[in-house]
Amino acid sequence: MTPLLIANGLVIDTAPAPTVLGTADVLVEDGRIAAVGPGLAAPAGAEVIDATGRIVMPGFVDTHRHTWQAALRAILPDSSLPAYLDRILGELAPRYRPDDVFAGTLAGALECLDSGITTLVDWSHIQLGPAHTDASIAALRASGIRAVFGYCYGGDGDLDAETRRVHQEYSGGPITMALAALGPEIAGEERALVEWRTARDLGLPITVHMGGHSTRTAARGLAFLEDNGLIDHPTTYVHANFYTDDDFKRIAGYNGTVSVSPAIEAALDIGHAPTGRARTAGVPTGLSADTVTSGPGDMFSLMRTAYVLERGRPDGAGLGFTTADALRTATIEGADVAGLADVTGSLTPGKQADVLILRTDTPGMAAAHDPVAAVVLSADTRSVDTVLVGGRVVKRGGALVDQDVPSLLTSLADSAERLTRGTPRG
């Protein structure tokens, strides 16, 4: 891979905390961060990207997204979680063919890259059969994104056997795997026992919707994991809204992590985002879009939502949450949640070069006094000029590269029309 020097940018790193390093260069060799600092020399034959007047920072990490739902964007606004479960999962999901899965997952992954999200935990519960799984993974690979494929078995056969098949066939490379569990709160405790046993045998982390239904079910689910010796397995708790502060301390004690979907949790009345409470208890916490059926898909919107919701907690309880905290949850802390803190999330030499270059020469970003605050409060998808994943440029000059976007959008529109034909809108 050709060496690359990102020169003369305003560099923000995120480990151990978001810090403005000032005007500096980022050297990329063999797809990894080789050095960060002022006045770096470009190796012979290196490509040089002039980042003058740009912010250079790590790419964002989305810790939970149902990527296959891109063809259903904004189909269910102003709604509720029961309506989502009924319309999206009950009515529309069974209509998905493998080519619908491919189009939706590829479009969703490219949406991420286009907006600066370089790492994605794809919580994929559209696995109606092996062909749907093949389409999901093929789309992630075609996009060029770094992804954790959260495999959620959806067939009528042997969950353990099919999960093992997928793990054996697709292990290795830039697409890693997690087990996306439906138990114990959604599909019951018997399924949870199989899911955790399979994940443990295969060495897969678990990502699971737990804690987002009620205080009673949140407590019961956590007790189930403890009683069955499962709680010490690497687990990300998605929509952990109803856990108490003591519950979060227990989760932290077992090295669990939390994924917060601040926009969706508010929009669908799931509960108040637990961002600050989880982090105060010592739980690594990442942000996620969850679904574009009812909310935004870019990290700028998610950071702002998390920031405003936390700062707006009653009696000033969240006023200690800062823009730096918001940026951390979107980068290095999100990488920790994804199980990739040693791979991405910061500009630490040796890590993969997942890098974001933001424009500052726009009315919305000009004359910003605090670069970290500007990224969180002022930037948007129009600011994303250049994106690298593993040292490979996937977006340059504001446009995705090596992708036939017009053809994909046509396929996505065709898929959306077929899936929703004859059904009520909105």
Side-chain angles (χ1 to χ4, degrees), residues 16-193:
T19 304
V20 179
L21 303 183
T23 302
D25 310 319
V26 177
L27 177 62
V28 176
E29 295 182 320
D30 297 322
R32 296 180 179 271
I33 304 291
V36 178
L40 298 180
E47 177 186 356
V48 177
I49 297 178
D50 184 4
T52 303
R54 303 285 193 265
I55 290 174
V56 179
M57 58 172 287
F60 297 127
V61 179
D62 184 330
T63 58
H64 172 78
R65 180 186 294 240
H66 305 304
T67 318
W68 59 273
Q69 296 176 0
L72 305 177
R73 182 182 313 278
I75 197 173
L76 201 65
D78 314 320
S79 193
S80 65
L81 179 59
Y84 166 85
L85 297 174
D86 180 64
R87 179 90 193 279
I88 306 302
L89 299 187
E91 179 184 345
L92 298 179
R95 302 179 185 180
Y96 267 71
R97 305 171 304 191
D99 57 345
D100 298 313
V101 175
F102 182 87
T105 302
L106 179 55
L110 291 183
E111 174 187 3
C112 288
L113 291 175
D114 194 42
S115 64
I117 296 169
T118 55
T119 299
L120 166 68
V121 178
D122 180 20
W123 214 104
S124 190
H125 52 350
I126 193 63
Q127 308 312 313
L128 307 180
H132 291 71
T133 302
D134 294 344
S136 298
I137 296 174
L140 292 174
R141 286 178 169 167
S143 74
I145 201 166
R146 187 177 309 285
V148 178
F149 177 58
Y151 176 72
C152 181
Y153 178 70
D156 297 324
D158 190 327
L159 181 154
D160 180 80
E162 186 61 14
T163 304
R164 291 176 184 274
R165 180 196 73 82
V166 175
H167 180 254
Q168 181 176 6
E169 185 168 348
Y170 292 110
S171 59
I175 310 298
T176 57
M177 184 176 173
L179 194 153
L182 285 180
E185 291 188 30
I186 297 175
E189 295 177 353
E190 288 189 11
R191 171 156 175 152
L193 291 173

Side-chain angles (χ1 to χ4, degrees), residues 232-253:
D232 61 343
H233 188 79
T235 300
T236 296
Y237 300 83
V238 180
H239 307 319
N241 310 71
F242 287 98
Y243 287 130
T244 66
D245 294 348
D246 285 340
D247 290 336
F248 282 126
K249 291 177 183 177
R250 289 156 65 197
I251 290 171

Side-chain angles (χ1 to χ4, degrees), residues 334-398:
D336 194 2
V337 173
L340 298 173
D342 59 343
V343 174
T344 190
S346 71
L347 300 180
T348 305
K351 286 190 176 184
Q352 292 288 320
D354 298 346
V355 183
L356 174 58
I357 303 177
L358 299 177
R359 294 180 57 186
T360 61
D361 59 342
T362 62
M365 284 288 282
H369 295 265
D370 183 331
V372 169
V375 172
V376 175
L377 301 179
S378 305
D380 58 31
T381 56
R382 295 170 298 176
S383 307
V384 180
D385 180 83
T386 301
V387 180
L388 285 73
V389 178
R392 186 173 70 87
V393 176
V394 296
K395 182 176 184 178
R396 186 192 301 270

